[in-house]
Amino acid sequence: MSGKARGRMLHRVLWCCAALAMLLPVSATRVHAQATSEVTDRTYPSWMTRWSPLSELGSLTRTLPSTHQNQPLLFTPAPLVGMLWTAGNPAGAATETRAPRSEYAIGVGNEDGALRRPLDPLTVSDVQARADGWRALGARGGAIGSVRFSQSSLDPSAIGVINEPYATPRLLPVDTSSEPLRRISARLEGAAGWTVRGWALGGALGYDTRSTTSVNAAFVRRNRVVLPAGRLGISRDMYNGRLRLGAHVSGQVGEEVIDLTAVGRAGLLYQLEGYRTVPGSGVLSQPYYQRISRNARTAVASVGGRTSATEWTAFAGGVAREDRFTSTRANDPPSNLWNSAGFDAGASARHSMVNDRVWLSVNARIVKLTGDATFVREEPASLRTDEQRITTSAEARVRSGAGNWTLAIRTSLDAEQRMVDDSIAALQSDVSALSPGIMLEGSRALTPSLHAVGGVTYVRYAGTGTIPDPVFYSPLYQRLFAPELDIATSTLSTSGLVLGARWIRPDGYVLWLAARREQRTLLSRDRIFTPRGNRTVSSLTLGVTVR
């Protein structure tokens, strides 16, 4: 058997092993689940996922500070720049996937601790299997793809029953139950591009499905999510490749269904609309149903250039999204609407020197969105949000001439501003936050084939702004809204440690093991509604990389 045939066979075996490792623990569990942020999904830097048609559109999910890096930075290539990697244009796959790379991994993770928001679960543990990679398709094409399966346990769970309780749309139901939940997730996506007479054409497809259910509970909660997405792009090289122009469009048409049923005992349900709490069904003696339909779209233009040692790409585009909230199963039912619109722009550049032993890269992005809600049963009133997020980063890598050691440093500075004007509840908030961060990593060859990697990360979050005084509002407001706003205007720190080892085989296969642990700590001492304590995240991942 030839070396190439053995490689293809090993690829198939690795993929089958990853799928089986995921399916074995899943088979004994009912396949319905509620989604939350996955512990093991914090794997890659943003440039490796920008191409995904499943990327968040029309929403800026409110997150807590995190290092967002399960495996060492040095386990991934130096940041790439281009239509695909920077702008997310699938046409770039035709020319930017020349150096093949595939990775197969399985990981376990856990997150727990008292420092959380009201709609976050107390404890999350999950296991994930994934396969990612890219390669050229002949001389005129290329492709990139990703497949991920995960099973998560939320025990105890959060009181929120929606998939993303801290996404931009602030219309969601919550209940008084916190029984354990199980979640099954599958995410499949891929993109390919080809060159035709000087033009590059590309397309991408993605499908994300998640299902959640309560476990052995008298108050049954079910949540089912499907999100298909697509993207089409085109680009053109000019001046012998020194300048490239491109454009692409994306669309997502998803649906989330929530079912609540009291079996053996009743529960309380509250409908949150902005900062207002609507009693809704009150005592939930009858089943509760809600369907959320999403329609998001974006159009982006991009431009890039290249010299002998520097590459750069910039992009800008508009985004729009509509979420329709329906509580009946009838055809064409009355619905609450959430509409958001805004723009997304960014740029990145990479420079190499000293015979490609030193790499410097910078990246910046800004997303600005404005959202409005329309309620079926309300007299003219408004719920409006203005949100903006700016993310910047710079990374440097230095490799010794003999390749015995590599150093990496990555700095980041993120800024957010979120304004909510709820004229129905006569409440307003305006929160700004700044998050500087730094990551230091080093790799050292212990033997010609065995390398050890270690790194530390520190992120500081400092929030400030104007928020309603919780002491003047109801106990329900103090329970569901005040802790989140308390945290958003606090100072927190997140410190992380990542360790890893790689066994580099002569045939190009790299076996690796990575462990990570981070802790989030509240630094502000004058908080009234913020839970006391810390939040800890840990993960362990085993993988194979083929180059």
Side-chain angles (χ1 to χ4, degrees):
M1 182 182 295
S2 67
K4 290 185 177 180
R6 286 196 301 270
R8 287 193 296 268
M9 179 175 290
L10 182 56
H11 275 224
R12 297 190 184 101
V13 170
L14 289 170
W15 171 240
C16 291
C17 290
L20 286 174
M22 191 64 248
L23 292 176
L24 284 176
V26 168
S27 60
T29 306
R30 290 181 292 175
V31 289
H32 298 284
Q34 173 185 8
T36 185
S37 58
E38 296 184 2
V39 181
T40 54
D41 205 32
R42 302 168 180 174
T43 303
Y44 292 132
S46 61
W47 67 267
M48 293 183 70
T49 59
R50 191 70 55 79
W51 62 273
S52 170
L54 296 170
S55 299
E56 187 176 48
L57 296 180
S59 175
L60 288 176
T61 298
R62 307 186 299 281
T63 60
L64 293 175
S66 173
T67 61
H68 291 289
Q69 195 76 21
N70 267 345
Q71 66 189 53
L73 194 66
L74 291 175
F75 281 11
T76 61
L80 298 176
V81 171
M83 290 288 165
L84 180 71
W85 310 112
T86 304
N89 187 339
T95 57
E96 298 172 14
T97 56
R98 299 286 96 184
R101 183 182 189 273
S102 299
E103 189 165 270
Y104 312 86
I106 183 168
V108 294
N110 184 78
E111 179 175 353
D112 59 17
L115 185 56
R116 63 187 180 100
R117 299 166 297 185
L119 303 184
D120 292 329
L122 180 61
T123 302
V124 183
S125 59
D126 59 36
V127 57
Q128 182 191 80
R130 59 179 174 83
D132 309 89
W134 62 80
R135 61 171 301 167
L137 299 177
R140 301 170 60 185
I144 185 171
S146 174
V147 179
R148 304 186 184 203
F149 301 99
S150 67
Q151 175 186 281
S152 302
S153 173
L154 291 70
D155 186 9
S157 67
I159 60 175
V161 296
I162 201 167
N163 176 46
E164 292 289 351
Y166 289 108
T168 295
R170 293 173 177 261
L171 314 176
L172 65 150
V174 298
D175 64 74
T176 56
S177 173
S178 60
E179 285 94 349
L181 297 175
R182 296 292 182 269
R183 177 185 65 222
I184 304 299
S185 305
R187 180 180 175 121
L188 302 89
E189 53 194 339
W194 294 267
T195 56
V196 180
R197 296 184 178 180
W199 293 86
L201 308 176
L205 292 174
Y207 187 81
D208 188 3
T209 177
R210 284 169 272 183
S211 182
T212 305
T213 193
S214 50
V215 179
N216 299 324
F219 192 93
V220 179
R221 299 196 283 172
R222 293 187 178 93
N223 180 293
R224 300 177 298 278
V225 180
V226 293
L227 180 63
R231 185 172 290 182
L232 293 173
I234 187 172
S235 68
R236 173 78 175 183
D237 281 356
M238 306 173 67
Y239 304 110
N240 296 322
R242 295 193 301 273
L243 182 67
R244 179 175 295 178
L245 303 177
H248 69 270
V249 293
S250 300
Q252 297 176 351
V253 183
E255 187 172 90
E256 178 174 358
V257 175
I258 300 168
D259 285 297
L260 304 178
T261 305
V263 180
R265 68 176 178 85
L268 293 177
L269 175 75
Y270 303 98
Q271 184 72 34
L272 306 185
E273 298 178 354
Y275 285 134
R276 186 179 56 155
T277 303
V278 180
S281 300
V283 177
L284 191 63
S285 57
Q286 299 294 325
Y288 171 85
Y289 168 84
Q290 185 175 82
R291 183 177 75 248
I292 307 169
S293 302
R294 178 198 302 182
N295 188 334
R297 56 206 176 274
T298 184
V300 178
S302 48
V303 60
R306 183 182 64 195
T307 64
S308 59
T310 304
E311 298 174 89
W312 62 272
T313 301
F315 68 92
V319 60
R321 171 170 165 170
E322 178 187 84
D323 288 63
R324 185 178 295 270
F325 299 78
T326 304
S327 296
T328 62
R329 300 179 188 268
N331 293 328
D332 195 22
S335 304
N336 292 334
L337 298 178
W338 179 269
N339 291 281
S340 64
F343 69 89
D344 183 1
S348 60
R350 186 178 78 156
H351 180 75
S352 64
M353 61 185 77
V354 195
N355 296 323
D356 287 344
R357 296 204 307 270
V358 178
W359 291 91
L360 303 175
S361 62
V362 294
N363 180 75
R365 187 181 184 185
I366 178 172
V367 181
K368 183 175 177 60
L369 298 172
T370 299
D372 292 280
T374 303
F375 300 102
V376 173
R377 61 180 181 273
E378 291 294 339
E379 66 280 358
S382 68
L383 170 60
R384 180 183 176 87
T385 65
D386 282 301
E387 300 182 309
Q388 176 178 285
R389 177 183 293 161
I390 301 174
T391 58
T392 62
S393 64
E395 182 177 330
R397 297 194 185 191
V398 181
R399 178 172 54 86
S400 66
N404 293 328
W405 56 266
T406 305
L407 299 177
I409 179 172
R410 183 180 186 273
T411 60
S412 62
L413 181 61
D414 300 342
E416 294 186 7
Q417 184 171 13
R418 301 179 184 271
M419 188 277 290
V420 179
D421 185 3
D422 186 346
S423 64
I424 302 174
L427 294 174
Q428 186 181 66
S429 66
D430 192 350
V431 176
S432 299
L434 200 62
S435 299
I438 185 169
M439 178 182 295
L440 297 171
E441 282 188 11
S443 173
R444 175 72 180 180
L446 304 179
T447 70
S449 59
L450 182 62
H451 292 237
V453 180
V456 294
T457 306
Y458 182 81
V459 178
R460 182 182 176 91
Y461 171 93
T464 186
T466 303
I467 61 176
D469 190 339
V471 299
F472 295 109
Y473 299 98
S474 68
L476 198 60
Y477 178 93
Q478 295 177 10
R479 179 188 178 192
L480 298 179
F481 297 109
E484 180 201 355
L485 294 173
D486 235 11
I487 292 176
T489 53
S490 297
T491 301
L492 300 93
S493 68
T494 302
S495 55
L497 173 67
V498 61
L499 300 173
R502 293 189 296 176
W503 179 34
I504 304 175
R505 292 169 48 89
D507 56 8
Y509 291 87
V510 181
L511 308 179
W512 53 266
L513 179 68
R516 163 181 171 258
R517 183 177 177 84
E518 75 170 39
Q519 180 172 284
R520 186 180 305 121
T521 304
L522 179 69
L523 301 180
S524 301
R525 301 300 180 186
D526 57 346
R527 304 291 91 178
I528 299 176
F529 295 94
T530 301
R532 294 295 182 263
N534 301 317
R535 188 79 171 170
T536 302
V537 180
S538 58
S539 66
L540 182 67
T541 309
L542 175 67
V544 179
T545 303
V546 185
R547 296 180 292 188

